[in-house]
Amino acid sequence: MLTGESRPVEKGEGDEAVGGAVNGEGSITLEVQKTGADTYLSQVIETVRQAQASRSRTQDLANRAAAWLTYIALSAGVITLATWLFVGYAFDFALERMVTVMVVTCPHALGLAVPLVVAVSTSLAAGRGLLIRDRAGFERARKLEAVVFDKTGTLTAGRFGVHGIISFGELDEDELLRLAAGLESHSEHPIAQGIVEAAKNKQLQVPEAAEFENLAGRGAQAQVEGRLIRAVSAGYLQEQAITVDEDALAELREGGKTLVYVLGDERPLGAIALADLVRDESREAIARLKEMGIDCLMLTGDAEAVAKSVADELGLDDYFAEVLPDEKAKRIEEVQRSGRTVAMVGDGVNDAPALVQADLGIAIGAGTDVAVESADIVLVESDPRSVADVIELSRATYGKMVQNLFWATGYNAIAIPLAAGVAYGAGILLSPAVGAALMSLSTVIVAINAKLLGR
């Protein structure tokens, strides 16, 4: 939970265990050494709290612009009245010019320019499974230059899959997998479940196993189709002085894969390589982000060999491996110091400090509550491709905001002088009714333009 490693970690007597971790198999006795605020989890949450407290809040540009326009309208109205009275026109004429100026300057269009776009973009985001928790963070997404992904559960499925099988001669690969699946069907171990899932995907007939027994820290054994089948680790082979062709296994070991050796009546039958499955969606997500000119990096607590394998498979620009939760935020800070605007995508407690440190924190919806609470945006469908959707929608939203602000400001820049009567000498004079119609028209145009964001 805290380190982000994809496979179970062996622990022995005297080793430190972290509260919240899952004991895969076997029985353990623990001595509690830290409680409450002293626990590692509490320290991570405190790091998140401090980072959140230090974040600045952005003000609404449209509200400020509308406020200034109100001051301008009042000032322009008074100046218009005073000017026409000063040059000798009747009070009712001067008053009509002032009223026209204040009506035509009514900040409806400018006041709605941004909120309408915000409302439409929020609706579009929700329809795509993007829950925006912080609008300021969402608006920063358009400036992103780098996206840092967590590995386990984000780029990968967080469960083991079979990446290769080698037979030592007696059985073919499918038969080896079938026997191993029969044995492992009685185990709750993540690696065992990966073997069973692979057999089901190949539609193999998984045999029944009898007299199943865990071999503590080494594997499992059972009677399968009249034979004693064992699925064991390399440590078991060493203990029993069983030798295998290591050269034949060299390719299977690449990328930090976990090897399970299958024995039949103490004779090696073959080996199965397993690793955390890379999501198909991750490949598409990385490709889309690179097309947008965004650097893609990975940050994980998993082993170096595993991280390098995933990074190479996905074509990432860089990666950080074996990083503890309290170090993840520092790694994000390093990327920010290179001058890039950074997003962090993660799902675990260990990602929370980094989610807060990043310019934009994106949490996988199926992740932990701590991660979701630390993020600016939550991906409901837990699909990494949605990161590109966030950026595209943010850029489109900003474009519509600029268009609406330009239209609303430009309208007022032209309408105010006409309402004040600067073109009176040329026979152009706006009545308050015409001014109201023009003001309404500008509001309608801003509203229609905001709705066009859906296209």
Side-chain angles (χ1 to χ4, degrees), residues 294-368:
I294 295 172
D295 294 337
C296 298
L297 302 87
M298 183 175 70
L299 186 59
T300 178
D302 214 339
E304 170 73 25
V306 177
K308 184 178 186 308
S309 174
V310 173
D312 290 344
E313 185 172 344
L314 293 174
L316 299 177
D317 296 295
D318 201 358
Y319 68 92
F320 305 96
E322 300 177 5
V323 183
L324 293 175
D326 53 322
E327 297 172 344
K328 283 194 170 185
K330 295 175 184 176
R331 291 288 184 272
I332 294 293
E333 205 173 344
E334 285 177 19
V335 180
Q336 289 172 323
R337 280 201 297 267
S338 68
R340 290 176 286 184
T341 305
V342 182
M344 172 68 194
V345 186
D347 69 329
V349 173
N350 57 335
D351 301 315
L355 289 169
V356 178
Q357 175 62 42
D359 299 290
L360 175 67
I362 302 176
I364 297 294
T368 61

Side-chain angles (χ1 to χ4, degrees), residues 368-415:
T368 61
D369 290 345
V370 177
V372 170
E373 287 298 318
S374 304
D376 302 309
I377 295 174
V378 179
L379 308 182
V380 175
E381 297 180 0
S382 303
D383 188 340
R385 292 175 297 187
S386 297
V387 176
D389 291 341
V390 169
I391 298 168
E392 287 174 353
L393 184 57
S394 177
R395 289 177 178 179
T397 298
Y398 180 75
K400 283 297 177 189
M401 286 181 179
V402 170
Q403 291 170 20
N404 275 3
L405 288 171
F406 178 80
W407 166 258
T409 306
Y411 152 79
N412 282 288
I414 296 172

